[in-house]
């Protein structure tokens, strides 16, 4: 019974997480620093900052970049607790697990700083190992933070339209936008189907049955998505779509946007200068 | 003859080559006419409307629009295709199918931008429709967050903005509350408009208002009757045979009785 509840909780939890994380534009709608920037300039600046993080080999520089992310989050009216939860869950934790072996002498020989006895094995932690693991971790954390900032403070359609400015093919941008829109519809279908099954059969009596219900749901959804795909295409053709979608460009950049772009450019320059000239 | 926009002759169509949807349909649509297509679920109404919009083509028989026989090949001609799409607009039954853009505003503007209509004209039509449909507050919202009534209004706006000569509507009032239905019908039945209106509906309340001619589709996927709305709506047997009659059940003290509800009784 508990395992069956696990299926239900997983299904409901996944849907709630998707709705809250992917479709919520609460932060993007606020009036604050990053939200007020032109999406094209914001995207270009974030890309430059990401490059700066990727090229840098200085841990203090990376720590500074992470501090900048936190500062940007606060100045963009993003609750710090929410931001840390979004950035620390999954990717940085995952990368930490990847980086952990690197702290041991087996993988990174160097100056010993501590010894551990684990399952009868004697493991030595090296200073060089700690440095490379920390370096890897903070680089991932900062990169993820920058991406989360971009996504949280930009309405998804503005972000997609900004991609067009960088010559990403319109078909790709439009397909991404439609995926976003229809994932929501499919989530609703899954929720309603699950509720309909529950209302008819009550609590699913066994895990095996529960798995079967999930499988039916997936099968049904696949069929619906196939039908929907044909209908949506017809609706597009009906309104004159011939394969190359056209849209309106309504962006406008102001002085603050160029200032922000220039700052990001300077930071990238600083990173490159540190990496290739100073060292 | 010059006023005929569409002419269908013995049109047959089936899905996947084995599920019949239209079985010998003959229909003529004159310029400026207002046609209602009524019939039970699965009688072929939506298929007919999609065929009139040049989205599907007959397996047998012919369909002519604006003097040209509609075939898949004629839509390969970009000029014909663009011209046809400018002249004919279809509002789909399911607004979720029609609203695929990230925001309501982009969805409304999708059609005229694809058809490269004049910017000034697009802006004027856009402003008019936003006002007429009272959707100012929806423009920056994603369509998936709207109610069914709001979605339907936006879907209608997304077609009306192209100002098509022929407006095809597939169950435009399905699932709407009475007041929203009223609002949409008022907008569509603008007396000053010279548009040709082809509407499929189950809602017999609106048939008289939206049409001069009614075609009734039977379960055998063909037209079983046609005529003026008054005549069709009075034919109780015809409506009953085609699952279109509304049966109302009442309770009078300790007795319950049922009777059909006709939609033109108040004219009697």
């Amino acid at each position: 019974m508990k395992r069956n509840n696990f299926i239900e909780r997983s299904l409901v939890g996944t849907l709630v997480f998707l709705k809250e994380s992917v479709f919520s534009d609460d932060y993007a709608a606020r009036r604050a620093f990053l939200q007020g920037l032109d999406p094209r300039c914001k995207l270009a600046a974030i890309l430059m900052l990401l490059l700066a993080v990727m090229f840098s080999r200085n841990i203090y520089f990376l720590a500074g970049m992470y501090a900048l992310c936190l500062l940007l989050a606060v100045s963009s009216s993003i609750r710090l607790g929410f931001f840390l939860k979004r950035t620390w869950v999954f990717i940085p934790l995952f990368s930490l697990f990847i980086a952990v072996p690197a702290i041991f002498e087996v993988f990174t020989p160097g100056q010993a700083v501590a010894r551990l006895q684990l399952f009868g094995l004697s493991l030595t932690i090296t200073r060089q190992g700690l440095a490379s693991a920390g370096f890897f971790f903070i680089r991932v954390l900062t990169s993820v933070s920058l991406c989360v900032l971009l996504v949280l403070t930009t309405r998804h359609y503005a972000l997609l339209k900004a991609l067009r400015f960088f010559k990403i093919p319109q078909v790709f941008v439009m397909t991404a936008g439609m995926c976003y829109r229809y994932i929501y519809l499919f989530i609703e279908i899954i929720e309603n189907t699950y509720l309909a099954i529950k209302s008819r059969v009550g609590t699913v009596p066994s895990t095996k049955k529960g798995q079967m219900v999930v499988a039916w749901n997936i099968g049904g959804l696949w069929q619906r998505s196939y039908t929907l795909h044909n209908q949506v295409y017809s609706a597009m053709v009906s309104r004159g779509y011939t394969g190359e979608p056209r849209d309106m460009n309504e962006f406008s950049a102001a002085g603050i946007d160029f200032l922000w772009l220039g700052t990001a450019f300077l930071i990238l320059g600083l990173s490159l200068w540190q990496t290739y000239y100073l060292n | 003859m010059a006023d005929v926009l569409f002419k269908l002759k013995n049109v047959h169509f089936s899905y996947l080559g084995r599920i019949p949807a239209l079985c010998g349909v003959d229909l003529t649509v004159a310029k400026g006419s207002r046609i209602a297509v009524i019939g039970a679920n699965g009688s072929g109404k939506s298929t007919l409307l999609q065929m009139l919009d040049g989205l599907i083509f007959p397996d047998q028989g012919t369909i002519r629009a604006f003097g040209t026989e509609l075939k898949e090949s004629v839509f390969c001609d970009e000029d014909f295709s663009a011209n046809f799409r400018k002249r004919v607009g279809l509002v789909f039954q399911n607004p979720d199918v029609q609203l695929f853009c990230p925001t309501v505003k982009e969805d409304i503007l999708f059609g005229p931008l694809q058809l490269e209509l004049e910017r000034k004209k697009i802006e004027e039509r856009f402003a008019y429709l936003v006002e007429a449909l009272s959707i100012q507050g929806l423009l920056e919202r994603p369509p998936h967050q709207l109610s069914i009534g709001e979605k339907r209004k936006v879907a209608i706006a997304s077609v009306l903005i192209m100002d098509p000569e022929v407006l095809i509507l597939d169950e435009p009032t399905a699932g709407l509350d009475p007041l929203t239905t009223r609002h949409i019908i008022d907008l569509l039945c603008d007396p000053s408009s010279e548009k040709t209106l082809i509407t499929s509906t189950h809602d017999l309340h609106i048939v008289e208002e939206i049409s001069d001619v009614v075609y009734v589709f039977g379960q055998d996927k063909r037209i079983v009757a046609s005529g003026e709305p008054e005549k069709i709506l009075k034919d109780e047997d015809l409506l009953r045979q085609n699952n279109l009659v509304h049966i109302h059940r009442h309770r009078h003290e300790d007795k319950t009785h049922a009777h059909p509800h006709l939609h033109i009784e108040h004219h009697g």
Side-chain angles (χ1 to χ4, degrees):
Chain A
M1 201 66 174
K2 274 186 178 172
R3 285 185 65 189
N4 189 47
N5 284 343
F6 170 73
I7 291 175
E8 182 176 342
R9 280 203 312 273
S10 305
L11 193 69
V12 174
T14 308
L15 298 178
V16 168
F17 174 77
L18 265 174
K19 273 190 170 177
E20 280 181 357
S21 59
V22 183
F23 297 101
S24 168
D25 59 359
D26 290 351
Y27 285 110
R30 292 183 185 182
R31 287 177 181 272
F33 176 63
L34 281 177
Q35 290 88 334
L37 295 172
D38 179 282
R40 295 167 302 175
C41 296
K42 191 175 7 178
L43 179 63
I46 295 282
L47 283 175
M48 282 195 260
L49 294 179
L50 278 171
L51 285 173
V53 170
M54 279 163 60
F55 281 111
S56 175
R57 290 179 197 158
N58 185 319
I59 198 146
Y60 298 109
F61 177 83
L62 290 177
M65 288 297 289
Y66 185 61
L68 176 68
C69 290
L70 297 180
L71 188 71
L72 285 172
V74 173
S75 63
S76 303
S77 299
I78 298 171
R79 212 159 26 86
L80 212 51
F82 175 82
F83 182 71
L84 292 175
K85 209 168 109 188
R86 283 289 294 267
T87 48
W88 278 79
V89 177
F90 297 128
I91 302 167
L93 277 179
F94 184 64
S95 67
L96 187 65
F97 286 120
I98 294 172
V100 161
I103 67 173
F104 298 109
E105 193 179 26
V106 187
F107 297 101
T108 319
Q111 187 191 341
V113 286
R115 282 182 209 286
L116 286 177
Q117 286 290 330
L118 212 63
F119 306 115
L121 288 170
S122 174
L123 296 169
T124 306
I125 297 172
T126 63
R127 195 175 63 82
Q128 286 82 355
L130 275 176
S132 66
F135 198 77
F136 177 76
F137 177 70
I138 198 163
R139 183 177 273 168
V140 172
L141 180 66
T142 311
S143 303
V144 169
S145 299
L146 285 168
C147 294
V148 168
L149 277 174
L150 177 68
V151 172
L152 279 180
T153 60
T154 320
R155 288 184 194 264
H156 84 278
Y157 64 88
L159 193 56
L160 288 172
K161 276 176 86 172
L163 289 174
R164 280 290 292 140
F165 185 75
F166 297 97
K167 301 295 173 204
I168 305 287
Q170 172 71 328
V171 169
F172 168 79
V173 174
M174 189 163 180
T175 308
M178 287 173 72
C179 284
Y180 181 92
R181 188 241 176 287
Y182 285 105
I183 284 171
Y184 190 90
L185 185 70
F186 290 140
I187 288 175
E188 285 194 329
I189 292 174
I190 295 173
E191 275 181 335
N192 291 337
T193 309
Y194 191 76
L195 278 177
I197 292 168
K198 210 174 163 186
S199 78
R200 276 180 289 171
V201 299
T203 307
V204 182
S206 67
T207 303
K208 203 176 172 187
K209 271 256 168 72
Q211 287 166 345
M212 205 190 277
V213 166
V214 172
W216 288 340
N217 221 329
I218 293 169
L221 193 66
W222 188 85
Q223 280 183 326
R224 284 178 203 221
S225 67
Y226 182 74
T227 312
L228 192 66
H229 143 255
N230 284 331
Q231 291 175 336
V232 171
Y233 182 70
S234 291
M236 292 170 73
V237 170
S238 174
R239 286 197 274 160
Y241 174 72
T242 53
E244 180 54 39
R246 301 171 183 94
D247 66 356
M248 269 186 167
N249 181 13
E250 293 170 319
F251 291 137
S252 65
I256 182 83
D257 298 304
F258 293 111
L259 190 68
W260 168 238
L261 209 55
T263 309
F265 187 73
L266 278 176
I267 292 172
L268 175 60
L270 181 68
S271 168
L272 292 172
W273 176 72
Q274 261 189 343
T275 308
Y276 294 105
Y277 293 98
L278 207 60
N279 296 332
Chain B
M1 197 64 186
D3 283 334
V4 171
L5 297 184
F6 290 95
K7 193 163 182 66
L8 284 79
K9 261 190 190 170
N10 192 30
V11 164
H12 290 253
F13 180 81
S14 60
Y15 289 101
L16 305 170
R18 58 188 164 81
I19 305 164
L22 295 174
C23 301
V25 172
D26 293 285
L27 182 78
T28 302
V29 180
K31 188 175 181 181
S33 60
R34 300 190 310 160
I35 290 173
V37 181
I38 61 174
N41 294 327
S43 57
K45 303 185 300 292
S46 296
T47 306
L48 172 75
L49 299 193
Q50 290 190 26
M51 196 169 278
L52 291 171
D53 194 36
L55 297 172
I56 51 176
F57 305 94
D59 296 336
Q60 261 184 64
T62 56
I63 172 169
R64 297 183 74 82
F66 312 110
T68 305
E69 184 176 346
L70 295 187
K71 290 177 180 172
E72 212 156 356
S73 56
V74 301
F75 283 91
C76 295
D77 177 349
E78 282 182 21
D79 290 338
F80 176 84
S81 179
N83 189 41
F84 183 87
R85 300 292 169 212
K86 277 177 197 165
R87 295 179 78 177
V88 184
L90 168 65
V91 178
F92 283 70
Q93 185 178 346
N94 176 5
D96 274 321
V97 164
Q98 201 160 345
L99 307 178
F100 42 78
C101 293
T103 62
V104 164
K105 185 177 180 182
E106 283 179 286
D107 245 318
I108 296 173
L109 293 173
F110 180 84
L113 288 174
Q114 306 317 301
L115 294 169
E116 295 181 314
L117 301 183
E118 197 190 325
R119 283 287 165 117
K120 194 165 174 266
K121 198 181 164 198
I122 296 177
E123 282 163 18
E124 282 170 9
R125 289 284 299 166
F126 181 76
Y128 163 73
L129 286 167
V130 167
E131 178 77 29
L133 287 160
S134 309
I135 51 173
Q136 295 89 337
L138 308 180
L139 296 179
E140 295 304 322
R141 284 175 62 187
H144 60 73
Q145 287 180 354
L146 307 181
S147 70
I148 178 73
E150 290 169 336
K151 280 182 189 174
R152 216 172 275 284
K153 276 186 185 178
V154 175
I156 289 172
S158 73
V159 174
L160 284 180
I161 195 169
M162 297 189 293
D163 200 14
E165 188 180 330
V166 183
L167 185 59
I168 305 173
L169 303 137
D170 197 352
E171 310 221 11
T173 57
L176 296 186
D177 59 70
L179 205 61
T180 311
T181 300
R182 179 74 264 147
H183 200 68
I184 284 176
I185 295 300
D186 286 345
L187 185 82
L188 296 173
C189 298
D190 177 3
S192 62
S193 167
E194 291 177 358
K195 285 189 196 309
T196 305
L197 210 61
I198 306 169
T199 314
S200 139
T201 186
H202 282 133
D203 193 350
L204 300 187
H205 292 94
I206 65 168
V207 168
E208 265 196 297
E209 265 190 281
I210 58 166
S211 63
D212 310 317
V213 186
V214 181
Y215 287 91
V216 183
F217 270 68
Q219 291 289 7
D220 56 355
K221 330 276 185 193
R222 65 181 79 208
I223 295 167
V224 292
S226 64
E228 291 178 352
E230 291 85 351
K231 184 186 134 202
I232 296 291
L233 294 177
K234 267 185 189 164
D235 193 339
E236 201 181 315
D237 287 339
L238 175 73
L239 298 178
R240 195 191 303 277
Q241 280 160 17
N242 291 286
N243 288 1
L244 289 166
V245 75
H246 286 173
I247 305 286
H248 289 242
R249 196 178 291 279
H250 298 276
R251 190 175 176 87
H252 295 292
E253 294 178 351
D254 57 341
K255 282 184 182 172
T256 302
H257 80 121
H259 62 80
H261 171 76
L262 298 177
H263 294 268
I264 53 167
E265 282 164 341
H266 60 280
H267 288 304

